[in-house]
Amino acid sequence: MQRQSLIIDCDPGVDDAVGLLLAFGSSELDLLAVTTVAGNVSLERTTRNARILRQLAGRTNVPVFAGAQRPLRRPPGEAAEFHGAEGLGVLETFEPDLPVAEGTAAQAIIEAVMNRPEGAVALAIMGPMTNLALALRAEPRMAERLGPVVVMGGARSEGGNITASAEFNIWADPDAAAEVFASGCRVTVLGLDVTHQVRATQARIAAIAAQAGTCARTAASLLRFSQDVERRIVGWEWAPLHDPCTVAWLLKPEFFRAVPCRIEVETESDLTRGHTAVEFRVDPASARHHWVVEADADAVFALIAERLERLP
Ligand code: RIB
Ligand code: CA
């Protein structure tokens, strides 16, 4: 794989945190920036959490830019019950050494994409899509210049996780998702249909915990927190691994199977806001988006364990 320039847009969040550590441990990725958005917890906390993870991984060369503190139109919705009040499970949070970078997430995304060759910069979105929507509003030409855009969000056959019909990231800012899918960007979407196939079982968590470094042990602790929460709130034995699948797809697309599709988002109804209508009856040659339907869960977790071993 040629080295891929990448921006990660996220709302850490327990699973975002594991996704960031996977990216920090993967030398194939030239992580240009981490941008943050309000989602699982407030923007102040998601931004501090991204800086904490950067420090733990020893990647202080990667700037963290704060983004939207609320959705385009809807009031902010949080998911702290799944991530802990501070957003990092039982992890002791602290004020990181390095500050947040000057400027907004949207500006950082625009500058990175517009100042590099067409298609050079990939974007992995692990939270509400507000920052990309704002960036596209400010610079519509970006839609054709962006490299691979991969999003964790939506649900088709699995139903929703925040409401009966919607997944949290799309539910939190359905207008942003609708604007992004209609913008001309080509998006590969990993929704609940595939992340529910990638479960953090005891054995998979133990394989990560067996690595020597602090980051691996931190990831295992975050995954165990998710396991406890899922058992208590959802009644599942093993928690699905959502956000790290976006980075795993960028690194090893062969671990997944994606289908060409058309995607539209319900934005008006309070009952079904954030529902992703995913249509596979499209012309593959002209379809702009792809919906990931299958994953090799063992391969994804082996990749995470291997990459986290490289971190301090
Ligand atoms: O529905 C799962 C998504 O919502 C993940 O990105 C998780 O971090 C939460 O933001
Ligand atoms: Ca997230």
Side-chain angles (χ1 to χ4, degrees):
M1 170 182 173
Q2 189 182 352
R3 200 148 194 261
Q4 172 70 61
S5 297
L6 171 68
I7 292 177
I8 292 180
D9 188 55
C10 56
D11 60 336
V14 169
D15 57 326
D16 306 69
V18 178
L20 283 172
L21 292 175
L22 173 59
F24 286 141
S26 298
S27 56
E28 307 95 314
L29 301 174
D30 176 15
L31 198 47
L32 303 177
V34 171
T35 55
T36 58
V37 65
N40 289 317
V41 289
S42 68
L43 178 67
E44 181 191 3
R45 288 182 175 84
T46 61
T47 306
R48 176 207 58 199
N49 294 345
R51 293 163 51 219
I52 286 176
L53 288 149
R54 169 180 68 176
Q55 183 163 317
L56 290 178
R59 296 297 306 277
T60 50
N61 60 314
V62 178
V64 173
F65 293 88
Q69 60 185 4
R70 55 163 299 133
L72 294 183
R73 179 166 65 111
R74 295 282 183 168
E78 293 195 358
E81 69 276 19
F82 284 90
H83 298 271
E86 294 302 320
L88 290 180
V90 294
L91 207 62
E92 192 70 34
T93 55
F94 57 88
E95 183 54 29
D97 299 339
L98 272 186
V100 66
E102 288 292 312
T104 68
Q107 287 164 343
I109 294 168
I110 291 168
E111 283 165 25
V113 173
M114 301 309 285
N115 294 339
R116 285 175 174 80
E118 186 168 327
V121 180
L123 179 62
I125 303 180
M126 303 180 177
M129 297 160 82
T130 317
N131 289 332
L132 179 53
L134 290 170
L136 287 164
R137 282 182 174 183
E139 180 48 87
R141 293 176 300 164
M142 222 179 51
E144 291 302 328
R145 280 190 78 83
L146 264 166
V149 177
V150 57
V151 167
M152 190 281 135
R156 184 175 189 271
S157 56
E158 279 293 292
N161 61 0
I162 186 75
T163 67
S165 56
E167 176 280 326
F168 175 80
N169 286 339
I170 310 298
W171 172 88
D173 197 341
D175 302 283
E179 288 188 19
V180 168
F181 287 132
S183 69
C185 283
R186 295 175 179 278
V187 185
T188 296
V189 185
L190 290 100
L192 301 182
D193 298 10
V194 68
T195 63
H196 283 182
Q197 299 173 33
V198 189
R199 298 278 175 162
T201 62
Q202 204 67 15
R204 290 167 176 164
I205 296 174
I208 293 170
Q211 310 305 328
T214 307
C215 290
R217 288 197 303 276
T218 299
S221 160
L222 293 166
L223 292 171
R224 288 196 177 107
F225 174 86
S226 283
Q227 185 179 42
D228 295 344
V229 163
E230 291 284 335
R231 283 176 180 167
R232 182 163 37 83
I233 297 180
V234 186
W236 282 335
E237 185 64 9
W238 311 122
L241 188 79
H242 300 296
D243 294 334
C245 286
T246 58
V247 178
W249 180 83
L250 281 168
L251 290 167
K252 301 285 183 186
E254 64 271 22
F255 290 177
F256 302 87
R257 184 167 72 88
V259 176
C261 69
R262 188 174 77 244
I263 304 178
E264 298 196 32
V265 180
E266 164 58 44
T267 58
E268 299 314 309
S269 155
D270 284 337
L271 178 64
T272 57
R273 66 179 259 200
H275 175 73
T276 42
V278 184
E279 177 59 74
F280 292 155
R281 286 165 291 215
V282 295
D283 169 12
S286 59
R288 301 201 75 83
H289 305 310
H290 283 76
W291 186 261
V292 180
V293 293
E294 276 173 17
D296 179 342
D298 284 331
V300 170
F301 274 96
L303 176 69
I304 293 171
E306 181 221 339
R307 296 305 162 90
L308 266 54
E309 189 176 22
R310 302 178 185 180
L311 294 174

